Amino acid sequence: MTIHHHPPDELLTAFAAGLLDLGQHVAIATHLVGCTHCRDAVRTMEHVGGAVLAGLPPTAMSSGAFASVAARLDRLVAPALPPRRAAGLADIPGLPPFVREYAAGPWRWIAPKVHLRPIQLPEASSTRVFLLKSRPGTRMIEHTHTGFEMSCVLTGSFVHAGGHFGPGDFDLGDGDDDHEIMIDSQDDCICLIAMEGDLKLNGMIGRLLQPLIRM
Ligand SMILES: [Zn+2]
């Protein structure tokens, strides 16, 4: 797998520092599954962060710190719930193992030749995560969004003004982008999308379809 499109350094740095919300974290983690280049970069950033922490002068603990930890050790711990396995997510290639444990809804039609499958995050996130499956030859309606949109290609490929995107590639769109996307692979193109805000379809057909599309 040759990867041509990577997340910008700022996103990788924020990932390494644990600053992303869960939806954004899932998208970057998905890219890292297939990209040794970005995995190495994140590892280096984590080492730098650890070295900075190790170089900080030690701070005295509060007087009650030990008693507080000891009291917590005596408390009963609720048994961990078994992971909710999502039937079907196990068959999707390129997902990180922790994402395979998430629950997911069924595939549902959102536009001609396009289906969407929501992934249910275990904690609140302002970013929605879903799988988008498009049939070969699909021309996505031109659209913009009110926030950013991260796309990780899992299977198939698409092309737009920003280049050609195949398995492992990462595409970052912000609200200013106008996308006209063409699925150019022989097989279905499945992407993991992390999206903040809402999708806005442009043009007359888009305006007609907008009320029908529930994301
Ligand atoms: Zn990469």
Side-chain angles (χ1 to χ4, degrees):
M1 177 160 60
T2 309
I3 297 177
H4 299 282
H5 302 278
H6 306 270
D9 283 348
E10 306 84 75
L11 272 180
L12 294 178
T13 309
F15 176 89
L19 296 175
L20 297 179
D21 75 21
L22 182 56
Q24 300 164 345
H25 181 92
V26 163
I28 300 296
T30 300
H31 176 73
L32 295 182
V33 168
C35 186
T36 47
H37 171 81
C38 289
R39 275 207 304 274
D40 289 347
V42 165
R43 205 168 294 132
T44 303
M45 291 163 187
E46 285 169 345
H47 283 161
V48 170
V52 169
L53 278 181
L56 291 175
T59 309
M61 291 171 76
S62 67
S63 54
F66 179 75
S68 157
V69 171
R72 247 182 273 167
L73 289 177
D74 288 339
R75 269 183 225 149
L76 283 175
V77 177
L81 294 171
R84 290 183 301 168
R85 240 170 225 296
L89 272 188
D91 298 337
I92 307 289
L95 292 178
F98 74 91
V99 176
R100 294 184 190 283
E101 302 291 335
Y102 292 166
W107 284 109
R108 59 175 199 247
W109 183 96
I110 59 157
K113 296 204 268 187
V114 184
H115 287 77
L116 178 149
R117 185 164 190 206
I119 294 179
Q120 287 150 24
L121 301 180
E123 60 185 67
S125 169
S126 59
T127 307
R128 283 177 288 176
V129 179
F130 53 89
L131 300 173
L132 196 67
K133 180 165 68 177
S134 314
R135 302 283 300 150
T138 305
R139 226 186 170 83
M140 302 280 273
I141 297 159
E142 200 180 327
H143 70 277
T144 55
H145 12 88
T146 55
F148 68 81
E149 179 187 84
M150 301 177 184
S151 306
C152 301
V153 184
L154 303 176
T155 70
S157 60
F158 63 80
V159 63
H160 64 59
H164 184 258
F165 296 77
D169 277 328
F170 182 93
D171 188 21
L172 177 67
D174 60 32
D176 298 331
D177 284 350
D178 259 14
H179 284 309
E180 202 180 14
I181 298 172
M182 172 80 174
I183 306 298
D184 68 344
S185 49
Q186 300 291 313
D187 301 312
D188 286 351
C189 178
I190 301 179
C191 294
L192 178 137
I193 314 274
M195 191 175 82
E196 190 190 39
D198 293 315
L199 185 76
K200 288 195 296 190
L201 302 178
N202 302 331
M204 172 119 88
I205 293 176
R207 282 198 293 277
L208 287 170
L209 277 175
Q210 183 84 62
L212 303 174
I213 292 187
R214 294 180 174 277
M215 303 198 47

